Amino acid sequence: MTHSLQRFSPLFLVFLFGAPALAAPLQVQKVTDGVYALVGDSGQRSPENFGNNATFGMIVTGDSVVLVDPGGSYNGAKQIHEAIRSITDKPVRLVINTGGQDHRWLGNGYFKAQGARIVASKAAVADQRARTTDQLISLNRLVGEKLMAGTEAVHAGETFENRLELDIGGVRLVLRHTGTAHTPGDSFVWLPQKQVVFAGDIVYIERMLVVTPESRSQSWIKAFEEMAALKPEHVVPGHGPATTLARARADTYDYLVALRKQVKAYMDGGGEIYDVGKIDQSRFQHIKLFDELKGRNAQQVFQEMEWE
């Protein structure tokens, strides 16, 4: 089957009206009919990207738009809305938060003010509430207080435990939370009619994933396996362009499995945490931000495995 996943068709560079001249664009990638990936910056949060250093999703239904993740700030949400308007003038009626990272939910307020429903897993909302202050402090520093103006902590009005099925304008959505991955509330969104999965932070493409104190690498692997069992034709990741399941496996699943294997062997040999960053991860050195994150990831997995 021919995929349009390795090219942006059509490709729009969408800028927020009145934003800084050097604003980082969102690339609008058509995945399949009525489904788009909005691909943001792969680097750190910054004044140029409004906290939108991630990939977001857009589903055009019969009468409205479903947005998968609303961006990392009020201005980030406006930028996403401009991207949506470059495709359709239908209103955004449903926003799904796939996790607890700032760019998965801090744009909620913008879309709620326009009448959108907001849905997330209970675990995601709990994680958002626990980290709101830290996230806003960090964003004010990285993006800047002026560009963060209007950003408020607005949480989902509808939550689910493990699974939620919705029919929006004739499009069936299956939301699933299988356990902690990058963050405690990470979920994926399955569109069986389109054979598309929006993976959120369960999948990273073309850049190194981040294992944080909130992450659990073991259940992250399980979450990926649950998603992969659906055999999607298209995977929209939390970071990077839409792709195939094989590429998602190579950049995310294979890395996590290999990292845990290497760390276990190191621990079994009596190694201490201060040197675990030296384990050989060179198989994945082609992935962006490898050098910056390989040591941190190894240390975090070491700490996690000490308690397993």
Side-chain angles (χ1 to χ4, degrees):
M1 182 174 183
T2 301
H3 291 271
S4 61
L5 296 177
Q6 300 308 316
R7 66 184 187 274
F8 294 99
S9 177
L11 173 62
F12 298 95
L13 301 184
V14 183
F15 295 87
L16 174 66
F17 178 77
L22 297 178
L26 288 176
Q27 297 176 333
V28 181
Q29 179 188 8
K30 184 174 182 179
V31 179
T32 190
D33 288 345
V35 180
Y36 300 83
L38 312 179
V39 185
D41 194 356
S42 63
Q44 180 56 282
R45 298 154 183 82
S46 71
E48 291 73 35
N49 61 38
F50 314 113
N52 284 351
N53 62 329
T55 296
F56 314 96
M58 170 186 168
I59 306 157
V60 182
T61 75
D63 56 4
S64 64
V65 170
V66 176
L67 174 62
V68 181
D69 297 319
S73 64
Y74 184 87
N75 278 329
K78 288 180 69 175
Q79 185 189 46
I80 288 171
H81 202 188
E82 289 297 317
I84 292 170
R85 286 171 172 159
S86 73
I87 300 297
T88 181
D89 59 1
K90 292 179 180 180
V92 177
R93 290 293 182 235
L94 176 66
V95 174
I96 299 168
N97 299 163
T98 63
Q101 282 294 79
D102 46 16
H103 37 234
R104 305 296 166 208
W105 73 281
L106 276 173
N108 281 345
Y110 174 87
F111 290 102
K112 183 176 180 180
Q114 299 181 46
R117 299 163 55 192
I118 303 172
V119 176
S121 72
K122 290 182 179 178
V125 173
D127 181 39
Q128 293 164 9
R129 292 186 185 279
R131 295 196 288 146
T132 298
T133 300
D134 288 345
Q135 288 179 350
L136 288 173
I137 289 172
S138 178
L139 285 164
N140 282 334
R141 177 174 58 85
L142 294 170
V143 176
E145 292 186 15
K146 183 177 180 180
L147 291 175
M148 286 298 296
T151 306
E152 297 181 353
V154 175
H155 301 284
E158 302 173 46
T159 60
F160 64 97
E161 195 74 49
N162 304 117
R163 183 185 180 97
L164 178 66
E165 295 194 28
L166 300 168
D167 188 296
I168 307 295
V171 178
R172 183 178 170 223
L173 310 174
V174 182
L175 286 59
R176 293 185 56 191
H177 168 60
T178 66
T180 300
H182 178 57
T183 67
D186 285 336
S187 303
F188 58 84
V189 181
W190 171 233
L191 280 60
Q193 296 155 303
K194 304 286 189 178
Q195 290 294 296
V196 174
V197 66
F198 291 91
D201 285 328
I202 296 170
V203 176
Y204 284 59
I205 297 295
E206 297 182 358
R207 63 148 288 182
M208 181 57 66
L209 61 81
V210 186
V211 184
T212 72
E214 292 77 34
S215 306
R216 294 294 179 270
S217 60
Q218 188 173 44
S219 54
W220 192 338
I221 289 170
K222 178 185 175 184
F224 188 101
E225 290 171 345
E226 293 278 348
M227 180 202 73
L230 299 170
K231 299 181 180 180
E233 293 181 9
H234 313 285
V235 178
V236 180
H239 296 268
T243 189
T244 62
L245 181 59
R247 180 62 187 274
R249 187 183 301 276
D251 282 10
T252 296
Y253 182 84
D254 290 352
Y255 175 72
L256 287 168
V257 171
L259 179 59
R260 284 181 58 86
K261 182 178 179 181
Q262 291 276 66
V263 171
K264 184 178 186 303
Y266 177 81
M267 294 173 72
D268 288 347
E272 299 291 342
I273 191 169
Y274 53 81
D275 271 338
V276 71
K278 297 178 181 179
I279 62 173
D280 183 13
Q281 301 182 54
S282 59
R283 173 184 166 191
F284 302 95
Q285 64 184 350
H286 62 283
I287 300 177
K288 186 177 181 179
L289 301 181
F290 170 80
D291 289 330
E292 293 88 341
L293 294 171
K294 63 178 181 177
R296 170 181 171 178
N297 286 347
Q299 289 183 335
Q300 198 60 53
V301 169
F302 184 104
Q303 290 179 292
E304 179 185 336
M305 296 182 75
E306 281 186 309
W307 297 96
E308 290 179 355

